[in-house]
Amino acid sequence: MKSCRLLLLCFLSIVAVSSCGKMDPVYRADLQAKKYLRDQYMDVYYYWNKEVRSRNAKLSPDDYDIYRFFNAMLYSKDRWSWMEDRDSYVSSSTGTYVGGTYAIKVTQAVEDFDDYRVWIRYIFPGSPLERYGVTRGAQLKAVADIDVSEGFSSQEKVDAFNRAVAVSPQTFTFRLVDGRDTTFTATWATSFTTDYILKTAVFTNEDYPGLNEPVGYLNFISFNNNKVPELCRALRSLKEKGARKLILDLRYNGGGDSRASDTLVSFIAPKSAVGKTYVTRTHNDNLRGRGYDQSTEVKQNADNLGLDAIYFIMGSGSASASEMVYNGMRPLYAENVHHVGRVTYGKPNGMYVLMYPGDRSSHNAYDKGDYSKLEYVFYPISFYNVNSASQHIPDEGFTPENSGCDDIYNDFGPKERDIAACLHHIVHGYYPAEPATVNLRRRSEGGVIDKLLLPEEKTNSNYGSYKVQLSK
């Protein structure tokens, strides 16, 4: 009996191995992925690899799934590294969302105005709600039969709201920015593709009295390499209309791909900066010794806008690549670069896009847009960014020279607080006085729950990235 029990225990301890002594294929593939992650990626590219290598060598892959294994290998001070699976990567890199969306972002002005009502933070061009006149600054008053005009008074109401916006078709009631109330029934888009550009415009004296030249405006929310053609078209349109000053709105831009940010810089940097460094990536000792600490220069671009001044609108949603572009422009523009809005997110580093499988043939397929073999993508912090003056991005973020609230009550245009501040500075040479804060609180007696509508930069631990593609 003792022998039988011993044999049974031995059998149970090797459930991952067949009677022929071969590993189960699924178990073997999972183990290979974890070992590849540790040996080929974390031990080589991770910025803090020296600090964690001995500890990570003792970690047993069998004790974790691959997500927890990745997290277990991170340095204690690392709050930025993350990973994702193939579907998540493909969706974010192509800008295509599948499964149903109304393509809007809603929020509350709790921090700035103690206002718990529900507002459109921004709406993607092509949203199913766009045809009904819904823009940034519209107030959501009801979904189905749920009245949200006064905010949320109970968790039950929050839950009911969440269920309602996950239904299609659905009936909405909005108060539009012109003061009209409208009720309509809309059907969500089952597949939605965005170019991440919320608005491109040129403001003139007709838009803002006192302007004696056209001022360009560009609002986009992701440095996505697949959307570079759309970004180039938008910037060329500003050049064609003679804009020599640019308001670059990155308040909701959490960063992205270095190839897209490099392209943007080639359009907006001073023409005199061509060939000059705008960012240098500093690595761990291992990669530094292999020549990875290389600087990125401003590239020649026949469509460079030839700007005289540039105004960055940034806030807590401006992270990583957005901060890196601003930091890179500071020494190149000197007193002609400005920051309006709020303190930025504070993400001074970046990561290589480390794909698994990571062999050359797999990377050849990825480069052609074939992700059928892709299983995981890892983003361990691999470098820190400094500009040509050796200035880092502060951990606490950049502080604006003109600070104000995020004016969600107006659409993106000359009436919006931050845009108006930039235009006022262009016309008068100084910023306007901040108007007195008006208490717009709309609470019910039962109190208000606001956690539903916290923005992504406050709820997503993986927010913000400056990603560099790693070629094999």
Side-chain angles (χ1 to χ4, degrees):
M1 289 296 292
K2 289 182 179 180
S3 298
C4 290
R5 282 196 295 269
L6 180 60
L7 288 171
L8 178 60
L9 289 172
C10 291
F11 174 78
L12 292 174
S13 68
I14 56 171
V15 290
V17 182
S18 71
S19 59
C20 297
K22 296 180 180 179
M23 285 186 179
D24 174 82
V26 175
Y27 172 79
R28 182 174 64 247
D30 181 68
L31 184 62
Q32 288 174 343
K34 293 172 185 174
K35 288 184 175 181
Y36 196 95
L37 166 62
R38 179 169 56 190
D39 300 340
Q40 302 298 320
Y41 286 157
M42 298 299 288
D43 283 355
V44 177
Y45 295 99
Y46 191 43
Y47 189 80
W48 296 281
N49 67 341
K50 183 186 299 183
E51 287 82 354
V52 300
R53 182 180 286 113
S54 61
R55 181 202 66 189
N56 290 350
K58 300 174 184 176
L59 294 177
S60 172
D62 288 334
D63 293 341
Y64 310 87
D65 64 30
I66 194 163
Y67 289 91
R68 292 192 299 122
F69 188 60
F70 177 80
N71 290 333
M73 287 191 289
L74 300 181
Y75 184 48
S76 59
K77 295 182 180 180
D78 181 3
R79 58 184 176 89
W80 302 283
S81 297
W82 58 290
M83 63 170 288
E84 62 184 340
D85 62 15
R86 174 180 58 201
D87 292 344
S88 176
Y89 173 80
V90 171
S91 176
S92 61
S93 63
T94 62
T96 299
Y97 302 90
V98 178
T101 179
Y102 289 110
I104 59 173
K105 293 289 185 179
V106 294
T107 191
Q108 295 165 296
V110 177
E111 293 183 356
D112 292 319
F113 297 111
D114 206 14
D115 181 0
Y116 286 78
R117 293 175 295 176
V118 183
W119 303 85
I120 294 292
R121 194 186 201 197
Y122 59 85
I123 178 170
F124 284 107
S127 161
L129 306 190
E130 189 178 41
R131 71 185 69 176
Y132 301 103
V134 176
T135 64
R136 169 185 166 88
Q139 180 194 355
L140 179 58
K141 301 189 72 176
V143 180
D145 59 350
I146 305 170
D147 180 6
V148 297
S149 59
E150 299 297 318
F152 299 101
S153 58
S154 68
Q155 184 63 50
E156 289 74 19
K157 199 167 188 178
V158 171
D159 294 339
F161 173 83
N162 278 331
R163 289 192 296 269
V165 295
V167 170
S168 176
Q170 188 55 277
T171 301
F172 297 88
T173 298
F174 279 94
R175 175 159 292 175
L176 305 180
V177 291
D178 61 8
R180 293 182 296 115
D181 286 350
T182 180
T183 299
F184 56 86
T185 300
T187 302
W188 65 25
T190 55
S191 179
F192 183 81
T193 300
T194 176
D195 59 11
Y196 295 110
I197 296 176
L198 297 183
K199 185 170 183 176
T200 308
V202 172
F203 303 128
T204 66
N205 185 66
E206 295 182 359
D207 304 299
Y208 194 88
L211 283 177
N212 58 12
E213 61 179 319
V215 175
Y217 174 79
L218 176 65
N219 185 327
F220 75 112
I221 60 172
S222 178
F223 288 97
N224 187 303
N225 186 60
N226 289 317
K227 304 302 179 180
V228 163
E230 289 83 354
L231 176 62
C232 292
R233 282 195 291 271
L235 291 163
R236 290 190 188 107
S237 72
L238 299 180
K239 178 181 176 66
E240 292 168 359
K241 295 176 182 178
R244 296 293 299 273
K245 290 182 173 61
L246 174 65
I247 300 173
L248 183 58
D249 199 335
L250 304 179
R251 73 183 81 186
Y252 304 137
N253 191 315
D257 195 307
S258 64
R259 293 170 293 182
S261 57
D262 290 350
T263 299
L264 172 65
V265 166
S266 74
F267 277 91
I268 66 172
K271 288 185 176 180
S272 60
V274 172
K276 295 182 179 179
T277 294
Y278 86 89
V279 64
T280 297
R281 297 190 288 267
T282 61
H283 298 76
N284 61 38
D285 291 343
N286 174 51
L287 296 182
R288 189 177 301 117
R290 292 161 56 183
Y292 271 70
D293 278 10
Q294 296 181 353
S295 299
T296 301
E297 300 174 345
V298 178
K299 296 179 177 60
Q300 182 75 41
N301 186 340
D303 293 315
N304 181 285
L305 273 64
L307 298 174
D308 300 322
I310 183 167
Y311 291 76
F312 285 81
I313 296 178
M314 299 191 294
S316 61
S318 309
S320 205
S322 291
E323 295 171 296
M324 185 273 298
V325 171
Y326 169 71
N327 194 40
M329 293 301 99
R330 291 166 66 203
L332 300 181
Y333 269 105
E335 71 276 4
N336 292 320
V337 62
H338 306 278
H339 172 193
V340 171
R342 309 182 78 166
V343 176
T344 63
Y345 186 85
K347 190 169 186 297
N349 42 39
M351 58 274 284
Y352 290 112
V353 181
L354 305 178
M355 296 180 167
Y356 180 82
D359 57 278
R360 184 178 297 276
S361 63
S362 295
H363 269 271
N364 289 339
Y366 306 151
D367 291 341
K368 297 176 183 178
D370 177 5
Y371 301 108
S372 58
K373 294 182 180 179
L374 182 65
E375 294 181 37
Y376 304 108
V377 182
F378 306 104
Y379 304 103
I381 293 301
S382 302
F383 52 83
Y384 271 69
N385 298 308
V386 297
N387 63 19
S388 58
S390 299
Q391 296 168 315
H392 287 267
I393 298 168
D395 283 355
E396 64 276 12
F398 287 108
T399 300
E401 62 188 62
N402 179 255
S403 181
C405 63
D406 185 12
D407 179 11
I408 60 171
Y409 303 113
N410 286 290
D411 196 4
F412 299 115
K415 292 182 179 180
E416 194 274 332
R417 187 269 165 205
D418 288 337
I419 298 173
C422 296
L423 295 173
H424 190 281
H425 191 274
I426 291 170
V427 171
H428 301 286
Y430 60 91
Y431 293 105
E434 188 69 17
T437 300
V438 179
N439 190 332
L440 296 174
R441 177 183 292 189
R442 296 294 186 270
R443 288 179 182 259
S444 64
E445 292 182 0
V448 179
I449 296 175
D450 64 291
K451 65 181 179 180
L452 169 76
L453 301 180
L454 289 176
E456 184 181 7
E457 61 267 23
K458 294 188 177 181
T459 58
N460 183 358
S461 60
N462 299 329
Y463 189 81
S465 66
Y466 176 54
K467 298 183 288 190
V468 178
Q469 208 73 22
L470 184 69
S471 299
K472 282 287 182 177

